[in-house]
Amino acid sequence: MSAEDLEAYENDLELELYREYRDVVSLFAYVVETDRRFYLANSVDVQVRTNGGEVFFELTLEDAWVWDIYRASRFVKSVHVVTFKDVNVEELTKPEMEIPA
């Protein structure tokens, strides 16, 4: 397999992942970004913890979808994340009326 073949393969996987994201985003209430992953979730609990002067975040996500090109199954029942880096949680707005495509 050449480098071009590998790049084309990864581009196809990324396009598939984007299409899946587009199809499932309306099923979720929150977008969560960490330094390593991007999640969609219906329940998010963020706890700020300290240990010896260090601050870290402990996240618990329920009913989630993981943006990860290499996962066989991106839907997960629960996720537990501990990180020392920034965390971004946004609540998705739901339109009152769905507009036909």
Side-chain angles (χ1 to χ4, degrees), residues 19-65:
R19 288 178 177 150
E20 182 177 324
Y21 164 81
R22 184 190 61 202
D23 292 343
V24 302
V25 68
S26 64
L27 303 173
F28 296 94
Y30 299 95
V31 171
V32 180
E33 293 177 90
T34 69
D35 61 314
R36 297 196 54 190
R37 295 276 190 278
F38 176 89
Y39 302 92
L40 298 172
N42 281 321
S43 173
V44 178
D45 180 43
V46 179
Q47 299 294 318
V48 179
R49 308 275 192 218
T50 58
N51 185 11
E54 295 284 333
V55 175
F56 63 95
F57 303 97
E58 193 170 356
L59 290 85
T60 303
L61 313 177
E62 301 291 331
D63 186 25
W65 181 89

Side-chain angles (χ1 to χ4, degrees), residues 71-84:
R71 287 181 70 97
S73 176
R74 288 182 268 280
F75 289 96
V76 289
K77 187 174 183 177
S78 65
V79 177
H80 187 85
V81 177
V82 177
T83 183
F84 287 91

